[in-house]
Amino acid sequence: MNDMSYFENGGETMRVVERLVKEQDFLTFASIVVGAYPGRMNGAQTTKEQLKNLFMENQNHDESLNYFGLWEDDKLIGGVGLVAVDLLHKKEKVAKELIHQFFNFFLARDIHFVALYPFRPDFYKRMGFGYGPRMYQYLVEPLSFPKGPTKKHLKYLTVRDQLQLTDCYNRVASQKHGMFLKTKSELSFIFKNDENYVIAMEKDDTVQGYIVFSFEKQSDSNFMLNNLVIKEWVYETPQALLELSTFLNSQADQVNRIEWNTQEDNVHFFLGDVRNGTNHLIPSVYHENAVSGVGLMYRIINVKGFFKELTTHHFNGVTLTFKLTVMDSLLAENNQQLIIEVVEGAINFIESSHYDVEIIVDVAELSSLVMGVITVQELYMLQQIKISHEQYLQALQQFFFVFEKPKCTTPF
């Protein structure tokens, strides 16, 4: 994508997308964001000023963050960074045009796979985004966290220790499928928030895990009734996990419950009493222990380019030739038919009319499949994928199987 791209809308008005660079643009964009997300932000001028300053600081000092706006007749009506549309321009396909430019920006840079957090999952599902991993929100008593033999390696972290924290996080992220490296703005937010506490487990002069948390008042009449809210919990060794758990266990005298948002499917094996206090039973006798939500969504924006990047990947020893037919209602160029030859797990693209099996799948489901969020067998049973010859179902299951489901704790 060039710095600026023009296109006509309805033959009358001119719309233009370019990078937000001027202070007055950011102030207008902040006003649009406040209008688009009224539940998150109030409309006070101080809030808009704070947002403007935040957006400018992000774009000017963090190379990983950029904001793009959509103008109509020189008036800003929407933006990407936070997908937001002016209230007067709803239902005018502004969001769709912004997303198209979002795609073009990355396609021009040979990036074939993107992700976003949806304001409405069904909206982005129709635009070809597939579901990512679920988030589980636990609300358990402090004594539910295991108590280990020691917490002698724990210490408070301050802004002076941010390099140690970043190194720990990035080591974990580099080993976990789906995670993003931590940006400067994320790191800054942790230590700029006066409500945050940061406690780390340090051993041999290396931070091996840390927890970021704050307290949330549970009563206006009883100042001693608080919940502890975990905002980030990172650990790279079992010992780091246990020592930080021991710290949480020790807060039982002044903490009512601990809120923990995690994408670990089996974390209930770690906790003691996993019930969340609702006393709700799911038939026949299943105790409510966590609420879950869908959030992060993935999308392949260039199918062939994406698979070309995986020519050095080992696809679980499978030998098979299959035709991949992808349906993409938003990106016409992504409606592709590929013949993929797999020999002992190595893939190659071939020009041939001979193949063992054809699979037909929407780009949204394909995006979730290649990330390991869901399997071929699950998609087949749910009738979200078509397979011409069922006898190859197991081979396709093995080809697409991902050993670790993706995890992502990065807000953006």
Side-chain angles (χ1 to χ4, degrees):
M1 179 178 175
N2 298 324
D3 289 341
M4 187 176 293
S5 58
Y6 296 89
F7 48 92
E8 296 289 342
N9 180 51
E12 297 180 358
T13 58
M14 177 69 74
R15 285 184 174 177
V16 55
V17 175
E18 67 175 342
R19 184 178 177 180
L20 291 173
V21 292
K22 300 177 182 178
E23 182 173 335
Q24 59 266 33
D25 294 333
F26 280 109
L27 186 58
T28 303
F29 183 52
S31 298
I32 291 174
V33 169
V34 170
Y37 301 100
R40 286 188 59 186
M41 308 164 185
N42 63 58
Q45 187 64 31
T46 54
T47 300
K48 293 177 184 178
E49 285 289 337
Q50 290 170 350
L51 283 175
K52 180 201 75 173
N53 293 334
L54 174 63
F55 296 151
M56 291 181 63
E57 181 179 354
N58 286 344
Q59 182 159 284
N60 293 333
H61 298 100
D62 192 332
E63 61 184 18
S64 69
L65 293 173
N66 288 292
Y67 298 95
F68 291 81
L70 178 66
W71 278 263
E72 183 175 278
D73 294 335
D74 295 325
K75 178 183 178 183
L76 184 64
I77 61 173
V80 172
L82 288 169
V83 177
V85 178
D86 188 286
L87 293 174
L88 290 175
H89 293 274
K90 294 289 184 71
K91 304 301 181 182
E92 296 179 11
K93 299 183 179 181
V94 174
K96 183 178 180 180
E97 292 177 11
L98 288 168
I99 293 299
H100 260 297
Q101 296 304 316
F102 169 65
F103 291 160
N104 291 337
F105 177 85
F106 288 108
L107 285 170
R109 288 157 176 78
D110 289 327
I111 294 172
H112 308 125
F113 197 91
V114 298
L116 56 69
Y117 283 107
F119 73 94
R120 276 187 57 175
D122 61 321
F123 174 82
Y124 284 105
K125 184 73 158 45
R126 292 194 298 270
M127 297 183 74
F129 285 84
Y131 294 125
R134 284 183 295 175
M135 183 71 75
Y136 301 94
Q137 185 175 84
Y138 284 84
L139 194 64
V140 297
E141 296 176 329
L143 293 177
S144 297
F145 286 88
K147 180 181 180 180
T150 183
K151 52 178 180 172
K152 66 180 181 180
H153 300 101
L154 300 186
K155 57 175 282 189
Y156 287 104
L157 292 188
T158 68
V159 67
R160 293 188 298 273
D161 307 302
Q162 57 183 326
L163 182 59
Q164 280 186 293
L165 182 147
T166 304
D167 287 345
C168 174
Y169 174 89
N170 287 344
R171 285 195 304 270
V172 172
S174 66
Q175 298 298 316
K176 279 190 175 290
H177 173 45
M179 291 189 71
F180 295 94
L181 298 180
K182 193 171 288 295
T183 66
K184 293 179 182 178
S185 57
E186 286 181 82
L187 189 63
S188 174
F189 183 76
I190 289 176
F191 291 102
K192 280 186 176 180
N193 190 337
D194 292 335
E195 296 181 352
N196 286 348
Y197 294 81
V198 186
I199 291 179
M201 186 276 197
E202 182 184 71
K203 190 176 182 181
D204 300 326
D205 297 322
T206 301
V207 170
Q208 298 182 4
Y210 65 88
I211 188 168
V212 181
F213 66 92
S214 63
F215 292 102
E216 186 177 90
K217 185 171 65 172
Q218 294 300 295
S219 171
D220 291 330
S221 61
N222 186 344
F223 69 90
M224 293 185 291
L225 190 61
N226 296 281
N227 281 358
L228 188 153
V229 179
I230 298 173
K231 297 182 176 179
E232 188 173 338
W233 191 355
V234 174
Y235 45 87
E236 57 179 327
T237 66
Q239 184 180 356
L241 172 64
L242 186 57
E243 287 206 31
L244 290 166
S245 173
T246 302
F247 162 76
L248 294 173
N249 177 285
S250 69
Q251 305 306 307
D253 61 335
Q254 69 179 75
V255 169
N256 179 38
R257 287 186 176 268
I258 295 177
E259 179 184 306
W260 184 18
N261 300 323
T262 176
Q263 291 174 321
E264 299 291 344
D265 289 333
N266 292 319
V267 80
H268 54 291
F269 282 82
F270 177 69
L271 298 170
D273 186 353
V274 299
R275 295 174 301 167
N276 60 8
T278 63
N279 294 320
H280 176 61
L281 281 182
I282 300 171
S284 61
V285 185
Y286 287 83
H287 299 266
E288 183 177 300
N289 67 326
V291 296
S292 67
V294 294
L296 188 66
M297 300 182 77
Y298 302 115
R299 197 191 202 283
I300 302 174
I301 56 176
N302 183 332
V303 174
K304 189 170 185 178
F306 175 79
F307 278 98
K308 277 187 174 180
E309 288 191 66
L310 298 177
T311 53
T312 59
H313 178 73
H314 187 270
F315 286 87
N316 306 320
V318 171
T319 295
L320 178 72
T321 300
F322 67 94
K323 180 179 180 180
L324 175 63
T325 299
V326 180
M327 299 177 295
D328 191 331
S329 61
L330 192 65
L331 291 173
E333 62 273 26
N334 222 16
N335 285 299
Q336 297 187 6
Q337 293 184 329
L338 305 175
I339 308 297
I340 300 177
E341 181 185 53
V342 195
V343 179
E344 296 183 352
I347 66 171
N348 184 40
F349 298 97
I350 63 173
E351 298 291 335
S352 173
S353 59
H354 300 287
Y355 47 86
D356 300 314
V357 59
E358 178 183 9
I359 63 175
I360 303 174
V361 62
D362 189 87
V363 68
E365 277 66 45
L366 179 63
S367 301
S368 298
L369 175 62
V370 297
M371 284 298 291
V373 180
I374 194 167
T375 68
V376 167
Q377 288 183 332
E378 290 170 323
L379 287 174
Y380 182 72
M381 184 61 68
L382 298 171
Q383 301 184 63
Q384 298 301 306
I385 191 172
K386 294 180 181 178
I387 298 176
S388 62
H389 296 86
E390 188 177 346
Q391 65 265 35
Y392 291 101
L393 178 60
Q394 187 58 46
L396 290 168
Q397 169 81 357
Q398 186 175 341
F399 174 83
F400 283 103
F401 183 74
V402 178
F403 286 92
E404 180 185 12
K405 286 188 176 183
K407 306 287 191 302
C408 181
T409 58
T410 300
F412 55 87

